[in-house]
Amino acid sequence: MYKQETLTIETAGRGVYDLTQRVQDVVAASGISVGMCHLLIRHTSASLMISENADAAVMHDLESFMSRQVPDGDPMFTHTQEGPDDMSAHVRSILTQVDLNLPITDGSCALGTWQGIYLWEHRLAPHTRSVVITLHGDS
Amino acid sequence: MYKQETLTIETAGRGVYDLTQRVQDVVAASGISVGMCHLLIRHTSASLMISENADAAVMHDLESFMSRQVPDGDPMFTHTQEGPDDMSAHVRSILTQVDLNLPITDGSCALGTWQGIYLWEHRLAPHTRSVVITLHGDS
Amino acid sequence: MYKQETLTIETAGRGVYDLTQRVQDVVAASGISVGMCHLLIRHTSASLMISENADAAVMHDLESFMSRQVPDGDPMFTHTQEGPDDMSAHVRSILTQVDLNLPITDGSCALGTWQGIYLWEHRLAPHTRSVVITLHGDS
């Protein structure tokens, strides 16, 4: 049994957006008891990640780290048509991930206690992002 | 056919732990001939990775690189409740991966000659880690 | 329905190689309408990535960034048997990915408009690389 749908996420610009509940709702509605839930973000300047879900300071520190590691407007970058956050957003995307695969157990994503599913918007301006969810498994 | 089980790994603190044989044993016992083997580590301060399996110096150098790139106790970090290796462990996890998907061919994971499956413990202290294995395919 | 085959790619040394069309051809030939397409590169010194497909400057800048981040011949590295690009290639592989999972929708990989599938060769010399493709889904 394969099921597919697309989530649309309106971001307010750079930052992380919690998708956990929306994904769990799709899994619950699918009727799949054991199987896999796959997510692909169909963009090259935003990421998907599994991260700690309890302390907002983690997201703050991830952003600080990545901003230092991949500075906007780095003079090394030549792909700058869309501004100083254009190429840095591509690099951030490559250093993280655009697809995630999660096991389904007893009808929900088998995340650890402290794991949440996040979209990481790397562009400064708001964007409309689409995430394809594909579910397969046994009911 | 979907099969799922959980491996428990007792780590002795920061370092890499070879899971290759344990994963191959689970695949062999499943009776699946062609399909997929998926691993999720249910934590945000440890990773899964595919790495070179022949020379211990590779793991030593990976650790050196990551320690320089993501220093414990970086003054930038604000999420420090559990000590100087708390936030650095989360960043290391984000820069690597918490899930891996591997093809099954002729009843075993179709790794390359030099590829092994490793758990990378990022916390300094020993931890109990759980990895969910989901297998699906044709027998 | 599970189908598997292996692509062989002859690289000309460090750089990116577009696999998008070859992968899409395999998906189209499979007769799968909705499902998953998984790729594993069976090496520890080359990666797979989803990246921007329109402007060659993106690949140029990714290479510049990675060369600065993970310098060949870094005096920290001890695994140097095969030369100054030996250990750096392993680190580059760990910071990116060796497996990708992509949804199949209406008989092709459901990539975003600007997403392409690339092999990133991290060794300086030409290499023969093998990528296992596993497809599963409903026809």
Side-chain angles (χ1 to χ4, degrees), chain B:
Chain B
M1 174 163 55
Y2 290 79
K3 297 190 174 190
Q4 213 164 50
E5 63 182 86
T6 299
L7 295 184
T8 300
I9 298 99
E10 304 287 346
T11 76
R14 187 170 283 177
V16 296
Y17 299 85
D18 190 341
L19 303 185
T20 315
Q21 193 55 55
R22 288 181 72 178
V23 173
Q24 291 287 26
D25 289 348
V26 172
V27 173
S30 74
I32 293 173
S33 173
V34 58
M36 298 299 309
C37 169
H38 178 267
L39 308 177
L40 172 72
I41 188 163
R42 300 175 73 218
H43 307 276
T44 61
S45 56
S47 306
L48 296 173
M49 69 173 166
I50 298 292
S51 189
E52 209 264 17
N53 59 12
D55 180 5
V58 171
M59 296 310 183
H60 173 271
D61 290 356
L62 280 175
E63 185 55 51
S64 301
F65 177 84
M66 201 59 108
S67 295
R68 184 177 67 188
Q69 209 70 355
V70 191
D72 290 337
D74 191 312
M76 163 191 289
F77 295 146
T78 64
H79 174 83
T80 56
Q81 293 93 322
E82 298 183 20
D85 62 323
D86 185 353
M87 189 60 213
S88 50
H90 292 310
V91 175
R92 286 160 163 257
S93 161
I94 294 298
L95 291 180
T96 52
Q97 287 169 261
V98 294
D99 87 282
L100 287 179
N101 217 17
L102 300 167
I104 300 172
T105 307
D106 294 336
S108 66
C109 280
L111 296 168
T113 308
W114 309 108
Q115 289 182 316
I117 304 167
Y118 295 90
L119 184 159
W120 197 348
E121 173 64 72
H122 298 305
R123 299 302 309 273
L124 297 173
H127 278 73
T128 301
R129 301 303 195 176
S130 93
V131 173
V132 181
I133 305 188
T134 309
L135 306 172
H136 56 97
D138 292 331
S139 58

Side-chain angles (χ1 to χ4, degrees), chain C residues 79-114:
Chain C
H79 173 83
T80 56
Q81 293 93 320
E82 298 184 20
D85 62 324
D86 185 352
M87 189 61 213
S88 50
H90 293 310
V91 175
R92 285 160 163 258
S93 162
I94 294 298
L95 292 180
T96 51
Q97 287 169 261
V98 294
D99 88 282
L100 287 179
N101 219 17
L102 300 168
I104 300 172
T105 307
D106 294 335
S108 66
C109 280
L111 295 169
T113 309
W114 309 107

Side-chain angles (χ1 to χ4, degrees), chain A residues 87-134:
Chain A
M87 189 61 212
S88 50
H90 293 310
V91 175
R92 285 160 163 258
S93 161
I94 294 297
L95 292 179
T96 51
Q97 287 169 261
V98 294
D99 88 283
L100 287 178
N101 218 17
L102 299 168
I104 300 172
T105 307
D106 294 335
S108 67
C109 280
L111 295 169
T113 309
W114 308 108
Q115 290 183 315
I117 305 167
Y118 295 89
L119 184 159
W120 197 349
E121 174 62 71
H122 298 305
R123 299 302 307 273
L124 297 173
H127 278 73
T128 302
R129 302 303 194 176
S130 93
V131 173
V132 180
I133 306 189
T134 309

Side-chain angles (χ1 to χ4, degrees), chain A residues 1-5 26 29-32 34-38 101 104 132-139, chain B residues 1-2 34-36 101 135-138, chain C residues 1-3 32-38 101-106 134-139:
Chain A
M1 174 163 57
Y2 289 79
K3 296 189 174 189
Q4 215 164 49
E5 62 183 87
V26 172
S30 74
I32 292 175
V34 57
M36 298 299 308
C37 169
H38 178 268
N101 218 17
I104 300 172
V132 180
I133 306 189
T134 309
L135 306 171
H136 55 98
D138 293 331
S139 58
Chain B
M1 174 163 55
Y2 290 79
V34 58
M36 298 299 309
N101 217 17
L135 306 172
H136 56 97
D138 292 331
Chain C
M1 175 162 59
Y2 290 78
K3 298 188 173 190
I32 293 173
S33 173
V34 58
M36 298 298 310
C37 170
H38 178 266
N101 219 17
L102 300 168
I104 300 172
T105 307
D106 294 335
T134 308
L135 307 171
H136 56 98
D138 294 330
S139 56

